[in-house]
């Protein structure tokens, strides 16, 4: 007789109940690791979470490679992004059917962290600095991944990385300071849409802490994520993150204690120790035996884990996806889709009339990326590669050079030569030559001319046997440090060690800088001179510049500058001087800056996948209008950015929402080969909706694509409002002279902001401006409309310290290990501000605070320095999570006032102020 859990006619929750009842406690525990143990007596096979599928299937062999995620988003085409997700899921299924253990169906994509700061090493993995647009693109990609069958998942998409994760620097130990408004208006809105739509069915917490608490222990997993989900939501840990709870983070003393907390907080699957699950399961058994976990806690996690397997159809007799075969991998349809996605992702940043190319017979293709396609860490293995040189070469005559300097390295004992067999580099009597690649941020790679292979480190020995920078631990990049008499020392970036020379002449890593060999570097062929000569003899020069996805910014490494690598920047300038008809093509996973502002045409795309060169040629020669638009602000310099670890975009005026400067290129920017006119903007309130309509006309001589963007700005408010916020967009294709009406329907509820005084969203009564145009700053028309909402009343009674209006020199911390936020002073004179506090009838105030060293809090009216002191609170010495309720009498201050809680000492933690007792 068939067990009920195998009957697809029974509702899935009931099937899960039946299976859970059949499992022993030991069998349940075995399901809480990434590598879920089989239960042979019930016919349950092994199951593994985690297949990388960010922009195509990764790590499992050749598969279709689409543009990076930030490039897919730059298409501003959710349906295209959905189709890419669908093609990716087809290929995941094809690999799964060949090797079920090697290719699991729980895919770890998409990444929905808003791209707050372009210096983040993983910028290319996300979609946009705008949380709403991020949610739109993530929903589209996840919808493609999950498949079209309503009851059965093709794959199980997992959102990464919850929460407030935009730094690689000390990522496992840094805590992201997240005020309530930033949490609710910026971070959470990126995660909510794909979960609420039911297309993302799992979430991965991030490595960092948020407000002092590890993200893997966040109460928001249950309070927000699972509250949004229409079905059970699986929560999987990031790799080795559970172990950080006691090690790097030191949040708990023992792993049983830490793992019990994680399960109770909502974690269901431990990605720890690769496929070696026994230690993790042992800690969970210890947690059960010590009473830290109950079987009911395990049952809840097991339900979440099994829910995904049921919805994937694992226990059904058949699924709609059983016939997907290896024939779909890199099939012609997916190749065409890769080409379409790459073509539509190109963003024309500047054009003085040089593009599209016309009457061109000879093109000089120049640059380190001119004849190379690079894979990022989460890229698939390229089945083939159409480079810029190849794509343009199919259209006209091309000449090419990499434009890198060829150099020799000479130690005091003699020149450095490369082993022709790829072995060790050594000081010898023979002079070797090396091509020098500048990837920016002071990172260089050396390619031996003798072998065409890159210099790497094998153990501690320098060899020349690699195709380029590669791997999780990139061992092919070096920094150059100046030494006397014009010499330099090489420092290996991955290890921090220096390059020295042994008695046998072999170059090896050494720990001591004083042991580094001093090298004279002489240029025997100038890359810029070669590029200039080539460009001068061509009709047009196309300089392909950009980043290496594994160098100067990647997972585990942030970048400190947005500047184009100096060596590449010099090539652009030299080529443009040699031939004014120069196109700079940028290929990068993040915004860049450069020094030559006279280049007539600039085109950007993310690393575009296998069909990049074909797509580039189609755009350069005008077969297609450049459709892409930026999803991030391109700043003029990293100096315009706040500290990398400052997550408060409101206070720091960060992202297009709050940035008050003039960017190099604004959010939403992208030119066309034609021109557009906007007219007849109409805006009206219609009950709970705002409706807008505008007419867009192609006024140029060519067909073109316009992305019509709608923004709003609240003109009066109790709080600091965004300068503009994207509310909708539509992509339209117009023939010359063609017009089209474009509409926006916006629920009034979406105009809400988070009211810290009442911990909920509120729509204020206020005038708003609706703006429409081509980017966040190129706004062609605007109209005013009124919203009848609430007036935020004065606050009174209990004031949560973390729910203040403004602050200075404070850090958000965890009130308890389980839940709650508090604030801690970082310096003497730190303060938090509560606006409009009604003190009518209040005669006392209770401050709940603590400090390891003790301290004092002063309550001041109107000003943190000179305002009248209404009360003082001596804070006694306490333990880290111990607080003392200190009562103080209030000076007479009836009425509504702005109140500052001023911390007279650093290290004082405040959880709340309560004016209710004496009111």
């Amino acid at each position: 007789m068939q067990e009920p859990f195998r009957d697809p006619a029974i509702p899935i929750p009931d099937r899960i109940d039946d299976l859970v009842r059949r499992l022993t406690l030991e069998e349940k525990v075995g399901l809480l690791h990434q590598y879920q143990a089989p239960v042979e007596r019930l016919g349950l096979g092994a199951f593994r979470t985690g297949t990388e599928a960010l922009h195509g299937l990764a790590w499992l062999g050749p598969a279709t490679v689409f543009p990076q995620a930030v490039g897919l988003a730059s298409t501003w085409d959710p349906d295209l992004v959905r189709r890419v997700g669908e093609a990716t899921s087809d290929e995941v299924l094809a690999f799964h059917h060949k090797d079920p253990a090697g290719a699991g169906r729980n895919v770890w994509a998409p990444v929905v962290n808003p791209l707050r700061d372009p210096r983040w090493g993983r910028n290319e993995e996300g979609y946009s600095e705008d949380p709403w647009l991020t949610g739109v693109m993530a929903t589209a990609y996840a919808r493609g991944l999950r498949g079209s069958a309503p009851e059965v998942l093709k794959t199980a998409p997992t959102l990464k990385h919850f929460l407030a994760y935009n730094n690689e620097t000390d990522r496992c130990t840094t805590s992201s300071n997240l005020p309530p408004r930033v949490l609710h208006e910026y971070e959470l809105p990126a995660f909510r849409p794909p979960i609420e739509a039911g297309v993302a069915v799992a979430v991965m917490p991030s490595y960092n802490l948020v407000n002092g608490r590890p993200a893997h222990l966040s109460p928001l997993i249950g309070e927000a994520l699972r509250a949004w989900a229409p079905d059970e939501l699986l929560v999987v840990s990031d790799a080795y993150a559970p172990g950080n709870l006691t090690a790097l983070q030191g949040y708990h003393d023992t792993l049983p204690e830490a793992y019990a907390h994680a399960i109770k907080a909502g974690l269901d699957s431990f990605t720890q120790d690769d496929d070696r699950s026994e230690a993790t399961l042992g800690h969970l058994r210890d947690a059960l035996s010590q009473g830290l976990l109950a079987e009911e806690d395990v049952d809840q996690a097991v339900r979440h884990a099994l829910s995904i397997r049921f919805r994937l159809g694992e226990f059904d007799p058949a699924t709609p996806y059983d016939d997907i075969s290896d024939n779909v991998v890199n099939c012609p349809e997916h190749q065409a889709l890769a080409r379409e996605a790459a073509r539509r992702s190109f963003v024309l940043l500047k054009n003085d009339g040089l593009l599209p190319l016309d009457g061109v017979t000879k093109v000089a293709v120049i640059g380190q990326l001119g004849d190379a396609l690079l894979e990022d860490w989460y890229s698939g293995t390229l089945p083939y590669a159409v480079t810029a040189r190849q794509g343009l070469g199919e259209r006209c005559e091309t000449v090419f050079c990499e434009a890198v300097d060829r150099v020799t390295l000479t130690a005091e004992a003699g020149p450095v030569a490369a082993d022709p067999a790829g072995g060790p580099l050594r000081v010898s009597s023979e002079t070797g030559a090396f091509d020098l690649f500048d990837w920016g941020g002071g990172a260089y790679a050396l390619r031996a001319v003798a072998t065409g292979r890159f210099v790497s480190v094998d153990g501690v020995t320098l060899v020349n046997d690699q195709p380029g920078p590669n791997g999780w631990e990139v061992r092919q990049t070096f920094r150059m440090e100046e030494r006397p008499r014009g010499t330099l020392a090489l420092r290996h970036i991955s290890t921090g060690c220096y390059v020295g020379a042994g008695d046998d002449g072999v170059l090896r890593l050494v720990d001591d800088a004083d042991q580094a060999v001093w090298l004279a570097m002489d240029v025997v062929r100038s890359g810029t001179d070669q590029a200039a000569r080539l460009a001068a003899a061509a009709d047009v020069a196309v300089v392909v510049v950009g980043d290496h996805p594994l160098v100067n910014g990647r997972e585990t490494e942030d970048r400190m500058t947005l500047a184009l690598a100096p060596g590449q920047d010099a090539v652009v300038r030299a080529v443009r001087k040699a031939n004014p008809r120069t196109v700079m093509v940028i290929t990068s996973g993040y915004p860049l800056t450069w020094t030559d502002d006279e280049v007539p045409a600039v085109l950007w795309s993310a690393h575009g996948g296998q069909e990049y060169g074909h797509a580039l040629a189609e755009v350069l020669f005008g077969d297609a209008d450049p459709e892409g638009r930026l999803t991030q602000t391109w700043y003029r310099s990293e100096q315009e950015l706040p500290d990398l670890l400052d997550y408060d975009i409101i206070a720091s005026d960060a992202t297009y929402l709050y940035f008050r400067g003039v960017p190099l290129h604004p959010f939403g920017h992208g030119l066309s080969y034609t021109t557009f006119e906007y007219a007849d903007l109409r805006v009206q309130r219609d009950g709970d909706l705002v409706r807008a309509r505008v007419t867009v006309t192609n006024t140029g001589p060519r067909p073109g694509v316009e992305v019509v963007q709608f923004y709003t700005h609240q003109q009066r408010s109790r709080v600091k409002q965004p300068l503009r916020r994207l509310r909708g967009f539509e992509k339209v294709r117009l023939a010359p002279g063609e017009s089209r009406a474009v509409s926006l329907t916006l629920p009034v509820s979406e105009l809400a902001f988070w009211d810290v005084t009442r911990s909920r969203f509120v729509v204020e009564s206020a005038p708003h401006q609706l703006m429409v145009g081509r980017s966040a700053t190129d706004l062609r028309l605007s109209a005013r409309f009124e919203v009848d909402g609430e007036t935020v009343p004065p606050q009174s009674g209990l004031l949560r310290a973390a729910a203040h209006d403004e602050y200075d020199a404070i850090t958000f911390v965890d009130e308890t290990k389980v839940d709650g936020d508090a604030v801690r002073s970082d310096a003497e004179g730190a303060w938090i501000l509560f606006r409009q506090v009604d003190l009518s009838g209040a005669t006392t105030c209770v401050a709940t605070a603590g400090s390891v060293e003790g301290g004092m809090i002063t309550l001041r009216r109107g000003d943190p320095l000179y305002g009248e002191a209404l009360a003082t609170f001596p804070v006694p010495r306490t333990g880290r999570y111990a607080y003392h309720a200190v009562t103080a009498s209030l000076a007479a201050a009836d009425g509504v006032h702005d109140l500052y809680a001023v911390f007279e000492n650093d290290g004082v933690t405040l959880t709340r102020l309560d004016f209710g007792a004496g009111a």
Side-chain angles (χ1 to χ4, degrees), residues 220-253:
L220 292 169
I221 292 172
E223 295 171 5
L225 300 181
R226 289 203 162 108
W228 301 332
D231 296 298
E232 302 280 11
L233 187 77
L234 173 68
V235 178
V236 301
S237 84
D238 210 335
Y240 285 81
N244 293 340
L245 296 172
T246 59
L248 292 173
Q249 294 167 346
Y251 201 73
H252 283 290
D253 294 330

Side-chain angles (χ1 to χ4, degrees), residues 464-531:
N464 65 114
D465 64 351
Q466 295 297 306
N470 66 85
W472 174 254
E473 183 183 349
V474 177
R475 301 179 69 82
Q476 299 81 33
T477 53
F478 301 85
R479 300 197 192 281
M480 300 181 188
E481 296 186 1
E482 293 184 2
R483 292 295 186 265
R485 301 190 301 276
T487 63
L488 57 85
L490 290 177
R491 190 170 191 181
H492 189 229
I493 293 177
S494 176
T495 61
C497 295
Y498 290 86
V499 174
D503 293 339
D504 57 358
V506 173
L507 299 191
R508 297 184 178 91
L509 297 183
V510 295
D511 294 328
D512 192 344
D514 292 336
Q515 295 179 305
V517 61
W518 293 3
L519 299 169
M521 178 179 286
D522 295 303
V523 177
V524 297
R525 188 189 69 195
S526 166
T528 55
D529 290 350
Q530 183 188 23

Side-chain angles (χ1 to χ4, degrees), residues 689-834:
L689 301 174
V690 176
R691 299 187 188 276
R693 183 183 177 93
V694 67
T695 300
V696 181
T697 303
N698 181 349
T699 55
R702 298 172 53 93
V705 180
E706 178 68 320
V707 179
V708 182
Q709 302 166 41
F710 292 92
Y711 298 83
T712 66
H713 168 63
Q714 184 170 330
Q715 296 178 305
R716 185 179 65 244
S717 178
R718 178 190 181 276
V719 302
K720 181 179 180 179
Q721 290 284 350
L723 299 173
R724 81 286 286 174
R725 183 186 291 276
L726 181 68
R727 298 298 187 181
F729 65 91
E730 185 173 333
K731 199 168 193 176
V732 295
R733 302 175 187 278
L734 299 175
E738 183 182 1
S739 297
R740 187 172 305 170
V742 178
S743 300
L744 169 73
T745 300
L746 178 69
V748 171
S749 60
E750 293 189 12
L751 299 172
F753 67 90
W754 186 259
D755 176 18
V756 297
T757 72
R758 293 173 291 177
S759 296
R760 65 173 175 86
F761 278 101
V762 60
V763 176
E764 282 183 306
S765 293
H768 292 251
Q769 187 178 28
L770 186 139
M771 302 159 283
V772 62
R774 309 196 71 246
S775 76
T777 61
D778 185 2
L779 297 167
R780 302 300 178 86
L781 298 171
S782 66
R784 195 170 182 268
F785 65 95
E786 293 280 345
V787 169
D788 298 322
E790 300 180 59
T791 298
V792 177
Q795 49 190 325
S796 60
L798 179 65
L799 307 182
R800 301 284 304 183
H804 53 261
D805 287 286
E806 294 181 29
Y807 62 93
D808 183 60
I810 68 101
T811 295
F812 288 81
V813 296
D814 48 336
E815 181 178 352
T816 72
K817 286 192 172 183
V818 176
D819 59 15
D821 293 335
V823 299
R824 184 183 65 220
S825 56
D826 289 337
E828 296 179 5
W831 52 260
I832 55 176
L833 165 64
F834 298 94

Side-chain angles (χ1 to χ4, degrees), residues 281-305:
L281 302 185
H283 297 311
L284 291 170
R285 295 185 196 103
D286 290 345
L288 284 161
S289 65
Q290 294 170 25
L292 301 171
L293 268 183
E295 185 169 359
E296 292 77 14
D297 300 317
V298 173
D299 286 351
Q300 188 72 357
V302 168
R303 287 189 61 86
H304 299 147

Side-chain angles (χ1 to χ4, degrees), residues 609-623:
Q610 62 200 51
E611 283 287 337
Y612 169 85
H614 286 149
L616 173 63
E618 288 172 341
V619 173
L620 288 179
F621 282 94
D623 300 351

Side-chain angles (χ1 to χ4, degrees), residues 178-255:
L178 217 57
R181 283 193 64 201
V182 180
L183 169 67
H184 290 280
E185 296 177 29
Y186 190 70
E187 290 286 343
L188 293 181
F191 287 84
R192 184 168 186 166
I195 294 175
E196 209 164 47
V199 295
V201 297
V203 173
M204 175 188 288
S206 49
Y207 284 114
N208 55 289
L209 300 89
V210 178
N211 293 354
R213 183 181 296 108
H216 280 71
L217 306 179
S218 174
L220 292 169
I221 292 172
E223 295 171 5
L225 300 181
R226 289 203 162 108
W228 301 332
D231 296 298
E232 302 280 11
L233 187 77
L234 173 68
V235 178
V236 301
S237 84
D238 210 335
Y240 285 81
N244 293 340
L245 296 172
T246 59
L248 292 173
Q249 294 167 346
Y251 201 73
H252 283 290
D253 294 330
T254 70
L255 285 171

Side-chain angles (χ1 to χ4, degrees), residues 133-208:
L133 184 58
T134 295
V136 168
M137 294 301 173
T139 301
Y141 192 68
R143 192 179 302 280
L145 288 173
R146 64 98 48 219
S148 57
E151 302 299 328
V152 180
L153 298 173
K154 186 192 291 185
T155 67
T158 303
L159 302 186
K160 304 194 304 186
H161 312 81
F162 188 76
L163 173 73
Y165 170 47
N166 291 121
N167 64 277
E168 299 305 295
T169 305
D170 300 326
R171 64 179 180 173
C172 295
T173 56
T174 56
S175 178
S176 303
N177 248 24
L178 217 57
R181 283 193 64 201
V182 180
L183 169 67
H184 290 280
E185 296 177 29
Y186 190 70
E187 290 286 343
L188 293 181
F191 287 84
R192 184 168 186 166
I195 294 175
E196 209 164 47
V199 295
V201 297
V203 173
M204 175 188 288
S206 49
Y207 284 114
N208 55 289

